[in-house]
Amino acid sequence: MRELGIEGACARRKRPRTTLPAGGEPPADLLERDFDAPAPNRRWVADLTYVPTASGWVYTAFVMDLYSRMIVGWEVADHLRADLALSALEMAIWSRRKSLDGDLVHHSDRGVQYTSICYSERLAEIGAVRSVGSKGDSYDNAAAESLNSLYKKELIDFRGGWHGVTDVILETMEWVAWYNETRLHSFCGNIPPKEYEDAFYKAQESATSFANSQES
């Protein structure tokens, strides 16, 4: 790799605080560090991360499905207001609108973005149950933290030289599409998350067809 001028992507250690404390009593931790899911749209995790740019800090919010590790929603903005996280959630709801059945647990940290009234009400509208990790413990949302780490290593830190929110949005859009549809994911048995989910639905269709044929 040295002879070819190739080097691996490495994570940076220094980062600003992206979680603001929220008041009131938050929901319980329903995952308890169990980041597996029996099917799509049973468990989502959400988190925020930061991007240093020439224009100042930019923040990216992700929503990920734990069954396949697919990114189902995301948003980039130059602020940490609640609508940053809410926009990512809205994308997730829209992208899964045909398969949400009210049996979803949404897990996040205790940041004010995720415990805000508007965010909580939107989850209630789709019948999702809220779950949050314990205070100051990143391991309680480790799957989302792992996604943030990949995003930083494979795109943000690897490329560098970010000008502002616009170029981060455009490149994040391309990275998410690549991550979901092309990148081989070890969790999925070294196939892309989308392919992993497609296999799940095909197996369901086959099982339903077989059951119907037996009944007839």
Side-chain angles (χ1 to χ4, degrees):
M1 290 175 63
R2 186 181 299 110
E3 291 175 356
L4 296 175
I6 300 173
E7 61 181 25
C10 299
R12 295 181 180 177
R13 294 183 180 179
K14 294 182 179 180
R15 62 179 182 178
R17 184 177 184 180
T18 56
T19 303
L20 301 177
E25 186 65 26
D29 183 352
L30 302 180
L31 299 191
E32 296 183 340
R33 303 186 185 182
D34 178 5
F35 299 111
D36 291 323
N41 303 318
R42 292 295 177 266
R43 290 179 167 186
W44 288 355
V45 292
D47 199 12
L48 304 170
T49 191
Y50 73 99
V51 180
T53 77
S55 303
W57 294 109
V58 169
Y59 303 91
T60 303
F62 287 118
V63 181
M64 181 176 70
D65 192 306
L66 284 179
Y67 175 75
S68 62
R69 275 23 182 198
M70 179 180 285
I71 298 170
V72 293
W74 63 275
E75 181 62 286
V76 176
D78 58 0
H79 60 79
L80 276 173
R81 295 191 298 273
D83 55 336
L84 164 63
L86 184 60
S87 293
L89 176 64
E90 290 292 357
M91 180 185 289
I93 294 171
W94 181 87
S95 68
R96 301 291 194 156
R97 62 194 182 281
K98 296 180 180 179
S99 52
L100 289 176
D101 57 8
D103 196 17
L104 172 67
V105 173
H106 176 286
H107 184 80
S108 68
D109 60 29
R110 297 188 179 210
V112 66
Q113 299 89 352
Y114 296 110
T115 55
S116 66
I117 294 176
C118 58
Y119 202 94
S120 301
E121 289 179 344
R122 191 67 180 101
L123 288 174
E125 287 173 1
I126 63 171
V129 178
R130 297 167 60 206
S131 168
V132 300
S134 60
K135 185 176 181 181
D137 192 345
S138 61
Y139 291 106
D140 286 351
N141 203 15
E145 294 279 356
S146 178
L147 173 62
N148 288 344
S149 179
L150 285 176
Y151 172 65
K152 300 294 285 295
K153 286 189 292 187
E154 296 179 352
L155 178 65
I156 300 305
D157 295 343
F158 184 74
R159 171 180 161 175
W162 300 100
H163 298 294
V165 66
T166 301
D167 58 336
V168 176
I169 290 173
L170 294 175
E171 293 298 325
T172 299
M173 179 172 58
E174 292 188 7
W175 182 82
V176 169
W178 173 76
Y179 172 95
N180 282 341
E181 301 176 13
T182 304
R183 184 188 188 279
L184 305 183
H185 204 303
S186 59
F187 180 85
C188 302
N190 291 318
I191 61 175
K194 185 179 185 302
E195 186 176 339
Y196 190 72
E197 285 203 0
D198 288 345
F200 170 85
Y201 288 116
K202 287 180 181 178
Q204 272 199 327
E205 291 176 3
S206 297
T208 300
S209 298
F210 178 77
N212 291 338
S213 65
Q214 293 295 103
E215 291 176 359
S216 60

